[in-house]
Amino acid sequence: AVIIATGGRPKELNISGEKEFRNKGVSYCTVCDGPVFKGKKVAVIGGGLSAMESAIMLSNIAKEVYLINKNPIFKGDKILLDKIKSLPNVKVIYNGLTQKIFGDKIVEGLEYKDEKGDAQKIGVDGVFIRIGLTPNSNFIDGIEKNEFGNIKINNKSETSIPGIFAAGDVADAPYKQIVIAMGQGVSALLSAVDYLNKTI
């Protein structure tokens, strides 16, 4: 039996300052790092569900939240966008293409191009990059995956191949959190034991 628990990695913007300020103001996890920015100014970069959820979460923590979307529309539930529009401390920036993150020893701000192509600067203490997660599943073929590359599993962590199980961020579970991955890991282990007991 094999248990695949290779996780995933956050998609990056690949812009100036992103790597230099990682864990120095640049974050890819709002649940993990949001509380660090209580009463401060932050930016969330992204145009999908995770970016909108992050902005809503941070609105209860940070003093000001800038939600920067490089597109003219959001890919996500309208009810979330309506919620964001009702939040007084969240400013949505459409057609904003983030160019660089700057600062001295920690993040002090970011620069983006507006819809006219003009450079704009915002002073922020933190930047949350929420543009998706790439599962570490490229090493295995012949197993069923979803459109994002996550390995499909059932409620027993079984994959499309008997004897192969998956757990955590590499799988197609709806939420990506450590405690959920740990629980799935236990589920996969118990399923693997059950499989071995029945086949050996």
Side-chain angles (χ1 to χ4, degrees):
V2 175
I3 298 174
I4 300 171
T6 48
R9 61 194 183 280
K11 291 181 180 177
E12 298 178 350
L13 293 170
N14 294 313
I15 59 172
S16 174
E18 181 177 4
K19 284 184 171 60
E20 294 90 328
F21 293 108
R22 187 166 185 167
N23 300 320
K24 297 176 183 177
V26 171
S27 174
Y28 300 88
C29 179
T30 312
V31 174
C32 313
D33 301 325
V36 175
F37 297 92
K38 184 174 177 62
K40 297 184 178 181
K41 294 181 180 181
V42 298
V44 177
I45 301 171
L49 185 62
S50 61
M52 290 194 290
E53 289 175 339
S54 292
I56 292 169
M57 190 181 303
L58 287 165
S59 71
N60 295 311
I61 300 170
K63 179 183 178 183
E64 270 182 71
V65 180
Y66 295 93
L67 177 55
I68 305 174
N69 183 357
K70 69 176 183 179
N71 299 309
I73 59 171
F74 280 93
K75 297 176 184 176
D77 300 330
K78 183 180 180 298
I79 192 168
L80 291 181
L81 185 57
D82 290 341
K83 169 83 173 173
I84 287 168
K85 289 177 179 177
S86 74
L87 297 170
N89 63 335
V90 177
K91 181 181 179 183
V92 180
I93 299 171
Y94 292 97
N95 300 303
L97 187 61
T98 308
Q99 299 292 297
K100 69 177 180 180
I101 300 165
F102 60 84
D104 185 11
K105 294 180 180 179
I106 58 173
V107 168
E108 294 176 6
L110 62 80
E111 183 179 305
Y112 70 94
K113 281 187 179 178
D114 63 20
E115 57 187 339
K116 296 178 182 177
D118 296 329
Q120 304 290 343
K121 287 185 178 181
I122 300 175
V124 293
D125 304 292
V127 178
F128 290 83
I129 299 170
R130 305 293 285 141
I131 56 174
L133 191 73
T134 301
N136 298 322
S137 63
N138 289 341
F139 67 93
I140 186 167
D141 294 317
I143 200 165
E144 193 175 355
K145 303 174 187 176
N146 65 16
E147 67 269 32
F148 306 109
N150 298 94
I151 297 170
K152 288 188 175 184
I153 59 171
N154 61 16
N155 60 3
K156 292 184 177 180
S157 296
E158 296 170 325
T159 69
S160 59
I161 300 175
I164 299 182
F165 307 85
D169 290 358
V170 73
D172 65 346
Y175 300 108
K176 310 300 182 188
Q177 294 295 325
I178 291 172
V179 291
I180 293 172
M182 290 168 63
Q184 283 185 345
V186 174
S187 174
L189 176 62
L190 294 173
S191 293
V193 170
D194 185 54
Y195 171 80
L196 291 171
N197 285 339
K198 290 175 180 178
T199 55
I200 295 178

